[in-house]
Every structure is written in C-alpha cells, then in structure tokens.
Amino acid sequence: MVQFGSLRQLTLGSFVLALIPLIALLWQSQSDLAKVGKMTTLETRYVVDVVGDMQRLDGAVTALERSIRQFTVIRNEKVAALSDNALDQFAVAADNLCQALSVPATCDPLFEQLSQLSDYRNIEDQLLLNAYLASVSSSVTALRGEVENAIANRVKVQQDDLNAMQAKQAWSTAMLVSVSLLLILLGSQLIVNPVNKLKQIIRIVARQKGDLPPLSRHAPRELIDVEKDLHWLHDRLQQLEHIRTALLRHAAHELKTPLASIKEGCSLLSENVVGELNNAQQEVLSLLTGSTQRLNTLVEKLLDYNLLLQQAQPKHVQTQPKKLVDACLEDYALALQEREVIVNVDVDSAWIDEELFRRILDNLVSNAVAHGALGRPINVHIYQAGKFTVLDVANRGKKIPQSSVATLFEPFTRGAEPRNDNVIGTGLGLSIVADCARLMHGDVKVVDVDYADVCFRVTIPQQEK
C-alpha cells in the first residue's frame, strides 16, 4: 500500500487526477471541432467551385448557341472567331466541371458532341446543326443534374461524418466523465475513510464503550495525527474515569465510618446516656443530627452513583410498574404528606430492569418534591407509546431555563434555584436517571406539557413479543 503524504497533497493529487480525463475530453473536443471546421471549409469550397463551374457552363452554352446561330445567318469570319472563342470557353468550363464531378458517363458524350459541333463551318444542314445544339443542351442539363446529385451526396456524407463524430464524442464524453467521477470518488474515499474512522473513534470515546481500532497506516499525515491524539485522549479519559470511580468509592467508604460514629454519638446524647441536656444543648444536638442525616444521604447518593457506573448490563424482566410506583411513593410518604400525587399507570406490565426503573422513580420523585411548588400536585404517568414504555413525572413550579437543559443530566450539575428542603444536593440525581435510562437503551428529556410547568419523560424500548 502507498503511504499518503499530507492532506493537501492528497487533495491536490486527487484533483489533478480527476482533471486528466476532462483535459483529454477537452483536447478531443477541440480536435473534432477543428476537423469539423476543416471539413466544412472544404465542402463549402467544393460546392462553390462546382456551382460556379456550372454557372459558367450555362453561360458558355448560351453564348455558344447564340454565336453559332449568328454564324449560320451571317457567315462572317468575325462571327466565326466569336463562335470559336465560345467553343473554347465552353470546353474549358465543361472540362473543369467534369474533373470536379468525375462522371465520365455524362462528360464523354458531351465532349463527343462538342467535337461534332466544332465543325460548324461545314454543316450546311440546319436540322443537323439544331440536333447538335440540342444534344449539347441536353448533356448540359444532364450535367446540371449530376451537379445536384454530387452536392446532395457530399451533404449526406458530411452529415454522416458529423453524426459519427457526435456519437464518438458522446461515447468519449461518457467514458471520460465516468473515469473522472471514479477518480473523484476514489480520491474522496481516501479522505472519507479516515474521517469516518475518526468519527467512529470519537463515538467510542464519547460513549466509553468498546475498544479503539488500531492506528491507520495509509491515511494523510494530519488525520493520522488527529487519530493519535484521540487515542491519547481515550487513554487519558479512561485514567480519569478510573480515578473518579476510585475517588468516589474510597471517599464514600471512608466517610461512612466516621459518619456512623457521629450518628451513634448523637443517638447516645439524645437518649441522655451521658447526662441530661439543657434546651440549648438539645437544639445544637438537633441541628447536628439533621446535618448528619443529610450527610448520610449525600454519601448514599455517591455510593449509588458509583454502583451505577460499575453496572454493565441491565437485567430486564416482565414486571408491573404500578407496584414499583406504589413502593416508591410509600418510601416518600413523609415528604409527600402535604402533596397530592396523581398516579396514572396505563400499562399492566413492562419489560424493564426493576432496580434501574426504581432508581429512576426515586430520583425523579425526589427532584419533584425538592423543586416543585409547595402544596401543588405531582403527576406520575406511565403509558405505552408504540414500542416504548414512557414514564412522565411532572410538577408545578418555576420552569427550567432552556439554557440549562443541555447540561441538566450531566454529573454534579446542580440547579440554580434553592431546594424546598434547603439541602445542598450532589447534582447526581438527574445524572443517575439518565444513566439508568441509557443502560436500558432508553433516554430521558425535559418536555413541555399543558398540565404542569416541568415534566421529565423517560422512554424505554420494549422487547417485541
């Protein structure tokens, strides 16, 4: 295989190669045009010469007949000299025309008749002389017909030559343009193939799924350099992913131990094991217990996200979404005491991963409780849309700005609006929803509905029955 140079060299080389057939076509067209011009010039000259000779022959035969008839009346040497001159001019005109036409069947009788007529001085019989003149006139008429036939034949030959040349030009054009197009496709393919490979690598890097293809050996240098940079970026992202996963795992694990000690200490203090606490101490203990509980929730979120990152394949089963919704709402019963939850489950069963779907429900309901307007209802709707099971969780409140939607499902992205529970979240809830939906080959997005201000829609494809 040939090692390509730079992308510019490959582009210019492909362009030059594609131009070669077009240049050959242009040269052939110019050559054919020159041939047509030369042929047209020759044919035009031939027609002009033949028609001119014919006109001179017509004039000569008229002058010849008039002078001979004058001689038969006057019989004067001066008139005879005019008749001899007319005979010479007629002979020259006839000879020129016969040489141009090459029709001996018509010309030979004419010259015989002209030879007979040249002895006009000795012809005493007027009828014989009239017969000679009539035969010459008839031969001239026949010769005029030969001229018309010759011109018609030359025109036909010229038209046939032009048709053949046009056919040849059409085939040459089709062939050379096809070759040029093939060269263009080949050149573009030499560029498109490495670019497609770069796109494939970018998709693999973006999704972090699969192994990268080996480095190309037969591609422009610039694209090979980009491919090397993408390989380096893939390796670097994998390292950062391992570091992030390890950091989440170790940080969450290391926080659990002192957090458990703090919770145990708060429990002992609240039970007055170490003595009675006054009101101020009880208030501080209450704040400390609440902060400990919130910290425990955040650590559990980190552990949940870390576990989700390590999950490879979902375990789909045929399950009843209504049971999962009821279990979720039961867990959030305390937070939902002053909220109305409108549940509509229009499907009896769905092909889903129960654990992943439950995580989606937990995080979306928690998000609706935290950011929805107080005292306003929350809607949970599960229905079938074609080959997909759809979950809508909607709440009333402030709409999400369009500028924030693009980054809403990225990890560690928190909303700008304060939560109803005044807790600073980790920014992992919606990211977990998106990852859970992705593991089930679905997706999640923010949609506009007429009955709520904010609606998250999760779409999960179903197995064909």
Side-chain angles (χ1 to χ4, degrees), residues 1-260:
M1 294 293 290
V2 179
Q3 175 63 51
F4 300 117
S6 65
L7 185 59
R8 176 179 294 178
Q9 292 174 350
L10 178 59
T11 304
L12 292 177
S14 302
F15 182 72
V16 170
L17 284 177
L19 280 181
I20 290 177
L22 298 179
I23 293 174
L25 178 61
L26 180 61
W27 175 83
Q28 183 180 357
S29 299
Q30 292 294 330
S31 177
D32 291 342
L33 185 61
K35 289 180 181 179
V36 170
K38 184 178 180 180
M39 182 173 61
T40 302
T41 301
L42 292 175
E43 294 300 322
T44 303
R45 184 177 298 276
Y46 173 80
V47 171
V48 170
D49 291 343
V50 169
V51 172
D53 290 338
M54 190 66 232
Q55 289 176 346
R56 283 190 291 272
L57 185 62
D58 287 336
V61 73
T62 301
L64 176 62
E65 183 176 358
R66 183 175 62 250
S67 62
I68 289 178
R69 290 190 183 280
Q70 287 177 354
F71 176 78
T72 58
V73 175
I74 301 175
R75 290 195 176 269
N76 188 314
E77 284 300 323
K78 185 180 287 188
V79 177
L82 293 174
S83 299
D84 291 338
N85 185 49
L87 278 170
D88 293 337
Q89 290 182 359
F90 181 83
V92 171
D95 185 62
N96 291 337
L97 188 58
C98 287
Q99 287 183 3
L101 294 178
S102 298
V103 283
T106 304
C107 290
D108 290 345
L110 177 62
F111 286 116
E112 291 179 1
Q113 295 161 3
L114 186 61
S115 176
Q116 293 173 350
L117 192 61
S118 64
D119 193 25
Y120 65 92
R121 287 184 177 86
N122 300 322
I123 300 176
E124 297 293 340
D125 188 354
Q126 187 65 32
L127 293 177
L128 181 61
L129 181 62
N130 290 337
Y132 284 161
L133 291 174
S135 63
V136 170
S137 178
S138 177
S139 297
V140 170
T141 302
L143 200 56
R144 188 180 296 109
E146 294 292 345
V147 169
E148 293 176 355
N149 292 334
I151 293 175
N153 290 334
R154 296 294 285 261
V155 170
K156 184 177 183 303
V157 170
Q158 185 178 9
Q159 187 63 43
D160 292 341
D161 290 342
L162 287 175
N163 291 337
M165 196 174 295
Q166 287 178 350
K168 176 186 174 185
Q169 185 71 21
W171 280 107
S172 300
T173 301
M175 182 182 67
L176 292 176
V177 169
S178 299
V179 172
S180 181
L181 289 175
L182 287 175
L183 291 174
I184 292 174
L185 291 176
L186 176 61
S188 62
Q189 200 64 31
L190 293 176
I191 299 175
V192 169
N193 285 340
V195 171
N196 287 335
K197 188 174 181 181
L198 291 178
K199 292 171 63 178
Q200 178 188 2
I201 294 174
I202 291 173
R203 285 194 293 268
I204 294 175
V205 171
R207 297 174 183 175
Q208 291 292 309
K209 292 177 64 177
D211 298 327
L212 295 184
L215 285 172
S216 301
R217 296 183 179 180
H218 311 291
R221 285 195 298 268
E222 294 89 345
L223 299 183
I224 291 180
D225 292 340
V226 174
E227 193 173 337
K228 290 179 180 178
D229 292 341
L230 289 175
H231 275 260
W232 174 84
L233 178 62
H234 179 260
D235 295 338
R236 182 60 177 163
L237 288 176
Q238 283 190 330
Q239 293 176 3
L240 293 176
E241 185 66 22
H242 292 326
I243 292 173
R244 184 182 71 165
T245 303
L247 177 62
L248 289 174
R249 183 171 60 251
H250 290 299
H253 181 269
E254 295 299 327
L255 286 173
K256 291 291 282 186
T257 300
L259 186 59

